[in-house]
Coordinates of all heavy atoms in Angstrom, one line a residue:
Y1 N 14.6 -6.6 2.7 CA 13.6 -7.7 2.5 C 12.8 -7.3 1.3 O 12.3 -6.2 1.1 CB 12.6 -7.9 3.7 CG 11.6 -8.9 3.5 CD1 11.8 -10.2 3.7 CD2 10.3 -8.5 2.9 CE1 10.7 -11.2 3.5 CE2 9.3 -9.4 2.7 CZ 9.5 -10.8 3.0 OH 8.6 -11.6 2.7
E2 N 12.7 -8.3 0.3 CA 11.7 -8.0 -0.9 C 10.9 -9.3 -1.1 O 11.4 -10.4 -0.9 CB 12.5 -7.6 -2.1 CG 13.1 -6.2 -2.0 CD 13.8 -6.0 -3.4 OE1 13.9 -6.8 -4.2 OE2 14.1 -4.8 -3.5
S3 N 9.7 -9.1 -1.5 CA 8.9 -10.2 -2.1 C 7.9 -9.6 -3.1 O 7.8 -8.4 -3.1 CB 8.1 -10.9 -0.8 OG 7.1 -10.0 -0.4
D4 N 7.2 -10.5 -3.8 CA 6.3 -10.1 -4.8 C 5.1 -9.2 -4.1 O 4.8 -8.1 -4.6 CB 5.6 -11.3 -5.6 CG 6.6 -11.8 -6.4 OD1 7.7 -11.2 -6.8 OD2 6.4 -13.0 -6.8
T5 N 4.7 -9.7 -2.9 CA 3.6 -9.0 -2.2 C 4.0 -7.7 -1.8 O 3.4 -6.7 -1.8 CB 3.1 -9.9 -1.1 OG1 2.7 -11.1 -1.6 CG2 1.9 -9.1 -0.4
E6 N 5.3 -7.6 -1.2 CA 5.9 -6.4 -0.7 C 6.0 -5.4 -1.7 O 5.6 -4.2 -1.5 CB 7.2 -6.7 0.0 CG 7.9 -5.5 0.6 CD 8.8 -4.7 -0.4 OE1 9.3 -5.4 -1.3 OE2 9.0 -3.5 -0.2
K7 N 6.4 -5.8 -3.0 CA 6.6 -4.8 -4.0 C 5.3 -4.3 -4.5 O 5.2 -3.1 -4.8 CB 7.3 -5.5 -5.2 CG 8.8 -5.8 -4.9 CD 9.4 -6.5 -6.2 CE 10.8 -6.9 -5.9 NZ 11.5 -7.6 -7.1
L8 N 4.3 -5.1 -4.5 CA 2.9 -4.7 -5.0 C 2.4 -3.7 -4.0 O 1.8 -2.7 -4.5 CB 2.1 -5.9 -5.1 CG 0.6 -5.8 -5.7 CD1 0.7 -5.1 -7.1 CD2 -0.2 -7.0 -5.6
V9 N 2.4 -4.1 -2.8 CA 1.9 -3.1 -1.7 C 2.6 -1.8 -1.7 O 2.0 -0.7 -1.7 CB 2.0 -3.8 -0.4 CG1 1.7 -2.7 0.8 CG2 1.0 -4.9 -0.2
R10 N 4.0 -1.9 -1.8 CA 4.7 -0.7 -1.8 C 4.5 0.2 -3.0 O 4.4 1.4 -2.8 CB 6.3 -1.0 -1.8 CG 7.2 0.2 -1.9 CD 8.6 -0.2 -1.5 NE 9.0 -1.5 -2.0 CZ 9.6 -1.6 -3.3 NH1 9.8 -0.6 -4.2 NH2 10.0 -2.8 -3.6
Q11 N 4.4 -0.3 -4.2 CA 4.1 0.4 -5.4 C 2.7 1.1 -5.4 O 2.6 2.2 -5.7 CB 4.3 -0.5 -6.6 CG 5.7 -0.9 -6.9 CD 5.9 -2.0 -8.1 OE1 4.8 -2.4 -8.5 NE2 7.1 -2.4 -8.4
S12 N 1.8 0.3 -4.9 CA 0.4 0.8 -4.8 C 0.4 2.0 -3.8 O -0.2 3.0 -4.1 CB -0.6 -0.3 -4.5 OG -0.7 -1.3 -5.4
F13 N 0.9 1.7 -2.7 CA 0.8 2.7 -1.6 C 1.6 3.9 -2.0 O 1.0 5.2 -1.8 CB 1.5 2.2 -0.3 CG 1.7 3.2 0.8 CD1 0.7 3.5 1.7 CD2 2.9 3.8 1.0 CE1 0.7 4.4 2.6 CE2 3.1 4.8 1.9 CZ 2.0 5.1 2.8
N14 N 2.7 3.8 -2.7 CA 3.5 5.0 -3.1 C 2.7 5.8 -4.1 O 2.8 7.1 -4.1 CB 4.9 4.6 -3.6 CG 5.8 4.2 -2.6 OD1 5.7 4.4 -1.4 ND2 6.8 3.4 -2.9
T15 N 2.0 5.1 -4.9 CA 1.2 5.8 -6.0 C 0.1 6.7 -5.3 O -0.1 7.8 -5.7 CB 0.5 4.8 -7.0 OG1 1.6 4.1 -7.7 CG2 -0.4 5.6 -7.9
F16 N -0.7 6.1 -4.3 CA -1.7 6.8 -3.7 C -1.1 8.0 -2.7 O -1.7 9.0 -2.6 CB -2.5 5.8 -2.8 CG -3.4 4.9 -3.7 CD1 -3.2 3.5 -3.5 CD2 -4.3 5.4 -4.6 CE1 -4.0 2.7 -4.3 CE2 -5.2 4.6 -5.2 CZ -5.0 3.2 -5.1
R17 N 0.1 7.6 -2.3 CA 0.6 8.6 -1.3 C 1.0 9.9 -1.9 O 1.2 10.9 -1.4 CB 2.0 7.9 -0.7 CG 2.6 8.8 0.5 CD 1.6 8.6 1.7 NE 2.2 9.3 2.9 CZ 2.0 10.5 3.2 NH1 1.3 11.3 2.4 NH2 2.6 11.1 4.3
E18 N 1.1 9.9 -3.2 CA 1.5 11.2 -3.9 C 0.5 12.3 -3.8 O 0.8 13.4 -3.9 CB 1.8 10.8 -5.5 CG 3.0 10.0 -5.8 CD 3.2 9.7 -7.2 OE1 2.3 10.1 -7.9 OE2 4.1 8.9 -7.6
T19 N -0.8 11.7 -3.6 CA -1.9 12.7 -3.5 C -2.7 12.6 -2.3 O -3.6 13.4 -2.0 CB -2.9 12.5 -4.7 OG1 -3.4 11.2 -4.8 CG2 -2.2 12.9 -6.1
Q20 N -2.4 11.6 -1.4 CA -3.1 11.4 -0.1 C -2.2 11.3 1.1 O -0.9 11.1 0.9 CB -3.9 10.1 -0.2 CG -4.8 10.0 -1.4 CD -5.5 8.6 -1.5 OE1 -5.2 7.7 -0.7 NE2 -6.4 8.5 -2.5
N21 N -2.8 11.5 2.2 CA -1.9 11.4 3.4 C -1.7 9.9 3.8 O -2.3 9.0 3.1 CB -2.6 12.1 4.7 CG -3.9 11.6 5.0 OD1 -4.3 10.4 4.9 ND2 -4.8 12.4 5.6
Y22 N -0.9 9.7 4.7 CA -0.6 8.2 5.1 C -1.8 7.3 5.2 O -1.9 6.3 4.6 CB 0.4 8.2 6.2 CG 0.9 6.8 6.6 CD1 2.1 6.3 6.1 CD2 0.2 5.9 7.3 CE1 2.6 5.1 6.3 CE2 0.7 4.6 7.7 CZ 1.9 4.2 7.1 OH 2.4 2.9 7.4
S23 N -2.6 7.7 6.1 CA -3.7 6.9 6.5 C -4.8 6.6 5.3 O -5.1 5.5 5.0 CB -4.6 7.6 7.6 OG -5.8 6.7 7.9
A24 N -5.0 7.7 4.5 CA -5.9 7.6 3.2 C -5.1 6.7 2.2 O -5.8 6.0 1.5 CB -6.1 9.0 2.7
A25 N -3.9 6.8 2.1 CA -3.2 6.0 1.1 C -3.2 4.5 1.5 O -3.3 3.6 0.6 CB -1.7 6.5 0.9
V26 N -3.1 4.2 2.8 CA -3.2 2.8 3.2 C -4.7 2.3 3.0 O -4.8 1.2 2.4 CB -3.0 2.7 4.8 CG1 -3.5 1.3 5.4 CG2 -1.5 3.0 5.1
T27 N -5.7 3.1 3.2 CA -7.1 2.8 2.9 C -7.3 2.5 1.4 O -8.0 1.5 1.0 CB -8.0 3.9 3.3 OG1 -7.9 4.2 4.8 CG2 -9.5 3.5 3.1
S28 N -6.7 3.3 0.6 CA -6.8 3.2 -0.9 C -6.1 1.9 -1.3 O -6.6 1.2 -2.1 CB -6.3 4.4 -1.6 OG -6.9 5.6 -1.3
T29 N -5.0 1.6 -0.7 CA -4.3 0.4 -1.1 C -5.0 -0.8 -0.6 O -5.1 -1.9 -1.3 CB -2.8 0.4 -0.3 OG1 -2.2 1.5 -0.8 CG2 -2.0 -0.8 -0.7
M30 N -5.7 -0.8 0.5 CA -6.6 -1.8 1.0 C -7.6 -2.2 -0.1 O -7.8 -3.3 -0.4 CB -7.2 -1.5 2.3 CG -6.2 -1.5 3.5 SD -7.1 -0.5 4.9 CE -8.6 -1.4 5.1
A31 N -8.3 -1.1 -0.5 CA -9.3 -1.3 -1.5 C -8.8 -1.8 -2.8 O -9.5 -2.7 -3.5 CB -10.1 0.1 -1.7
A32 N -7.7 -1.3 -3.3 CA -7.1 -1.7 -4.6 C -6.7 -3.2 -4.5 O -6.8 -3.9 -5.6 CB -6.0 -0.7 -5.0
L33 N -6.1 -3.6 -3.5 CA -5.6 -4.9 -3.4 C -6.5 -5.9 -2.7 O -6.0 -7.2 -2.6 CB -4.2 -4.9 -2.8 CG -3.2 -3.9 -3.5 CD1 -1.8 -4.0 -2.8 CD2 -2.9 -4.3 -5.0
Q34 N -7.5 -5.5 -2.1 CA -8.4 -6.4 -1.3 C -7.7 -7.0 -0.2 O -7.7 -8.2 0.0 CB -9.0 -7.4 -2.3 CG -10.0 -6.9 -3.3 CD -11.2 -6.2 -2.8 OE1 -12.0 -6.8 -2.1 NE2 -11.3 -4.9 -2.9
L35 N -6.9 -6.1 0.6 CA -6.2 -6.5 1.7 C -6.8 -5.8 2.9 O -7.3 -4.7 2.9 CB -4.8 -6.3 1.5 CG -4.1 -7.1 0.5 CD1 -2.6 -6.6 0.3 CD2 -4.0 -8.6 0.7
S36 N -6.6 -6.4 4.2 CA -6.9 -5.8 5.4 C -5.9 -4.7 5.8 O -4.8 -4.7 5.2 CB -7.0 -6.8 6.5 OG -5.7 -7.3 6.8
R37 N -6.2 -3.8 6.7 CA -5.3 -2.8 7.0 C -4.0 -3.4 7.6 O -2.9 -2.9 7.3 CB -6.0 -1.7 8.0 CG -5.0 -0.5 8.5 CD -5.9 0.4 9.2 NE -6.8 1.1 8.3 CZ -6.6 2.2 7.7 NH1 -5.3 2.8 7.8 NH2 -7.4 2.8 7.0
P38 N -4.1 -4.3 8.5 CA -3.0 -4.9 9.1 C -2.0 -5.5 8.1 O -0.8 -5.5 8.2 CB -3.5 -5.9 10.1 CG -4.8 -5.5 10.5 CD -5.4 -4.8 9.2
S39 N -2.7 -6.2 7.1 CA -1.9 -6.8 6.0 C -1.1 -5.7 5.2 O 0.1 -5.9 4.9 CB -2.7 -7.6 5.0 OG -3.4 -8.7 5.7
V40 N -1.8 -4.7 4.9 CA -1.0 -3.6 4.1 C 0.0 -3.0 4.9 O 1.2 -2.9 4.5 CB -2.1 -2.5 3.7 CG1 -1.4 -1.3 3.1 CG2 -3.1 -3.0 2.7
T41 N -0.3 -2.5 6.1 CA 0.8 -1.9 6.9 C 2.0 -2.8 7.3 O 3.1 -2.4 7.5 CB 0.2 -1.3 8.3 OG1 -0.4 -2.4 9.0 CG2 -0.8 -0.3 8.0

């Protein structure tokens, strides 16, 4: 499955994940994309 939103979330999360743990990377992705935690996960 792919979509524009999925790609954006995945790319942002993977960037943060390089230096952060899973939970922190999700939080950073939330802030960067202005999305809720359930939306990101």
Side-chain angles (χ1 to χ4, degrees):
Y1 176 91
E2 287 187 350
S3 71
D4 291 340
T5 302
E6 181 272 333
K7 289 179 181 178
L8 183 60
V9 170
R10 172 164 46 84
Q11 290 170 357
S12 298
F13 173 81
N14 288 341
T15 298
F16 291 119
R17 191 70 176 88
E18 292 178 0
T19 57
Q20 301 175 359
N21 61 32
Y22 184 92
S23 180
V26 170
T27 300
S28 296
T29 303
M30 291 165 53
L33 302 181
Q34 294 296 297
L35 294 173
S36 66
R37 181 171 292 272
S39 294
V40 170
T41 57

